[in-house]
Structures are given as structure tokens and as C-alpha cells.
Amino acid sequence: MDRDQRGVPRREFLKAAVAIGGASALSACLDREEVSVPTGTDDPSSLPARQHAWNAHAARDDAGNVLPPRHHVLLHFDYDGDPEADRATVESALRSLERAYEWSNDGLLFTLGYTPAYFDALGGPPAGVDLPRPEALSDLEDPTLDEPAAILHLASDHAQVVLEAGEAMKGERDTANDESVDAALTDAFSFVERRTGFVGTGLPADNQDVDGVPDSEPVDEDSPLYMGFKSDFEGSQATEDRVTIQSGPFAGGTTQHVSHIDLDLRQWYEQDSREQREAKMFCPVHADEDRIEGTGENLGDDPQLDDSPPAEQTAREDGIVGHGQKLKSVREDGRPIILRRDFDSTDGGRAGVHFLALQRDISDFVTTRDAMNAEDISSETAVGRRTNNGIRQYLSVTNRGNYLLPPRDLRALPTPEGGDA
Ligand code: HEM
């Protein structure tokens, strides 16, 4: 483990700094980390037209899977102004970030999204976009519905970048990566709330000293996620094209669902064996045939569910269904219809997940979540609504929010019609 002279593991320190936030966390981070972060560009036309175009600029693992940025911050904002008067300020704030940091995992990737509540306040829903208000997606959950006006998602491999960019957008510093910051989002919006997280090898293991994780420190040192398996296989993700809105004024944008989920890793690690965990996460056949080594690196770029039996079959015969096995039924052209960009979190001192997913229509997320709920299967077989039903037993949804991520040219305070009117 990489410790400095103060004895605090480096990854743990960086994650804790992001979770704590503020100027003092940032300066501790800058003092300790001498990272040279690549600067961005003055030329917006050199950047992708889609805010969610991250994959071509992200790192990849040896199997070719996209590696998500390791550190994440979500900032919620309210809005109560005149979009016409504030639009140039918001654009200037976002351009400051693009000038300061390269558009990459090594620099900063970010999106600004808007809720149905934002559009309602301006007169109606966004034209041509399926963006309902958030709601509970099962009668087993009672989530807080997140309805700020806007959400900024900041993502980088460097903790100091998400910290510094967040401070800049909250108007708390006037430089970022030594470049001047011309405007803050808080010049137009009011800041509401900050959420944080991490994903990637070692970070969950370094951060298992929180509620929801047994004291035995069970999280594998190699795992990118608390539950011990990798999840971002290329073959189990939608493409960015599949999740992009195709027509209407917001063509080139996408919708984003963000839930927060509490994890019960006590049951997952203490009551279940490795074999049960493989069966519940992937498929009972993966467990029977011992197909998964470690976190699943050996599976390459695909979870290899193609020859898994239908979920109904193992539900009847074995009384168990896997998470991936259930979700395979809603694939289109062999690929899922949502693009998962979720990350783990210790917000509130608990092990959790900010489950962030992109899809063309929010209904694509609801369809996927319905398949995960598998109510039909649990009503007809020994599989419970929660027990032996994939990983449902270990997840409790606490929050849900829906957002539109407009294309880059409409990202600053769009009107429902999608113009600058
Ligand atoms: C919050 C805890 C979650 C964890 C730790 C998790 C973990 C995983 C893992 C390890 C995989 C890849 C292996 C496999 O396919 O079985 C996977 C796939 C997937 N997950 Fe999750 N998941 C979580 C929640 C969700 C939620 C809330 C949804 C959306 C409703 C979801 C949707 C999917 C989809 C669509 C796939 C791809 C399945 C396919 O390949 O067709 N997951 N997840």
C-alpha cells in the first residue's frame, strides 16, 4: 500500500479529501499530490458536440473496456433567474473548465443536466424528450425525489481536479489548474448540495471503514466496486450512440437518471459464499462452472451471459436468478439500452452507490429497472421479491432524480423549446 510519511494510505486520503470537500481539503490535496494535469482548450469547436461523449477520451483497460474516471462529484443547483440574462455567464463558467482541463480522464470530464422541474418553471417539458419527474420504481422503495434545477457531474482520475473544479463552479476560487476562472455557476444558480464518490481498482477496499461493510474488511483490494466484481464490460454497456436523442431540438443530448442506493455488504459478504455471490451477480451457471476469477477480469470485454439460461428457468429449477442474467432480457441488438456510469460513495458515512445511467428516453431506464425487479418471476417461482433475486436484497434506494443533458451548444440554461428564445 502506498503510504506517505504520515501513514495515511494515499488512495484513502484522496477519496476522503473529495468527500470532505472545501478549500482546506483542496489545499491538503495540492500540498500532498504533485500531479501535473493537462490543460484544456480555448477552441470549443475542438470539443465533442455531445456533453456525454466521454468514451473516446477515456482510459481503457487491457481488454478494451472503458475505465471510468476514478473520482466523482455531483453538485446540485437551484435556479430562479432569467435564462436570457444569465446564459452567457453559465457558458463562460463552463468554458473556464474546458480551458483549465483537458477533456479526458486525466483532465476533467463533465456534464450539466436539467430536471423536469427546471423546464416546468420555464413553461413546459423539453420538446421531443422523454423526461418525466422522478418516482419510486417499485413499491419496495420510498426514495427522496431529487428535484433541484440542475446537476453538474464532475469526473477525473485526479481527486484534486474534481475538488478544484467544484470549488471554482461554486465561486470559491478564481483559478483552476492555474488558468483564470471567468465565471462561476453560482453567478447564475444557487448551490444546494454536493455528493461524491469513486470507482476503480483499490478505492472501495481503501474505503471500507464505513457503515454497511462488515468489520472483517472483505472488499477485494483489486475490486473497482464495493460488491467485489467489475461491471463495466464493453459488451454490457449501451453505446453513446444508442443513448443519444436522435431528433428534435435536443438531438445530440441524452437523459440521465441518478439514484442513490445504500448497500448492505454485511449480508453480501457474511451470509453469502463466493459461489452465491457469483450466481446472484452474474448467473447460476457462471457459479456452477466456476467461470469468474477474482473481480471478473478473466471475462474480458463481455460478461459472457449469451449462453446463460433464461432467468425463468433457473428461478424454477434452482430458486435463484442472477442480476446480469435478468437484465439480458432487455438487451437490443445484443447490447443493453442504458449506459452505466455509476460509482461508489461514502456519503452519509455509509457504503453506497450513486447509480448514474444515461439512456435516450427515461423509459429505457424504467424498462431496465423493471427487468431487474423481476416481479413476474418472483410471483411465479420460489425466488423472492428480494431474496435470491439477483442483488436486490442488498440494495435500498434512497434517492432518485431525472435530468436532460442537452447537447453542448444548448447546455447553458436551455428553454423548453430548445432555443435561446
Ligand atoms: C447498485 C449496485 C449495482 C451493482 C454493484 C451492479 C453490478 C453489476 C455488475 C457487476 C454487472 C456486470 C455483470 C453482470 O452482467 O452480471 C452489472 C451489469 C448490469 N447492470 Fe448492474 N449493478 C448494480 C445496480 C444496477 C441497477 C440499479 C441497474 C439498472 C436498473 C443495473 C443495470 C445493469 C445492466 C443493464 C447491466 C448489463 C447487463 C447485460 O450485460 O445485459 N445495475 N451490474
Side-chain angles (χ1 to χ4, degrees), residues 23 113 157 169 171 259 286 335:
D157 278 347
M169 291 302 97
S259 57
H286 280 59
R335 304 274 293 257

Side-chain angles (χ1 to χ4, degrees), residues 319-373:
I320 188 164
V321 291
H323 173 67
Q325 183 193 12
K326 283 183 286 184
L327 288 160
K328 205 186 68 169
S329 66
V330 288
R331 285 184 178 188
E332 243 180 52
D333 301 327
R335 304 274 293 257
I337 55 177
I338 67 169
L339 174 52
R340 292 166 292 128
R341 286 189 172 154
D342 54 295
F343 46 91
D344 282 348
S345 177
T346 56
D347 286 353
R350 293 192 51 75
V353 179
H354 291 294
F355 196 86
L356 188 156
L358 305 181
Q359 50 284 311
R360 191 171 293 164
D361 298 316
I362 290 293
S363 62
D364 293 333
F365 183 82
V366 175
T367 300
T368 304
R369 181 69 205 200
D370 282 347
M372 178 171 163
N373 290 349

Side-chain angles (χ1 to χ4, degrees), residues 38-47 91-92 94-103 179-182 408 411:
T39 49
T41 177
D42 260 335
D43 173 14
S45 70
S46 67
L47 293 165
E91 185 59 25
S92 162
L94 300 176
R95 293 242 173 122
S96 296
L97 292 181
E98 289 166 348
R99 260 199 319 279
Y101 307 104
E102 183 182 83
W103 185 255
E179 299 283 324
S180 71
V181 173
D182 296 339
R408 176 173 262 109
R411 66 187 174 173

Side-chain angles (χ1 to χ4, degrees), residues 225 227 229-231 233 235-236 261 263 281-282 303 305 323-324 327-328 331 336 338 340 353 355 365 368-369 372 391 395:
L225 290 168
M227 292 185 85
F229 297 106
K230 64 192 262 91
S231 88
F233 301 97
S236 69
I261 301 174
L263 292 178
M281 186 61 88
F282 289 79
L305 297 165
H323 173 67
L327 288 160
K328 205 186 68 169
R331 285 184 178 188
I338 67 169
R340 292 166 292 128
V353 179
F355 196 86
F365 183 82
T368 304
R369 181 69 205 200
M372 178 171 163
I391 52 176
L395 313 187

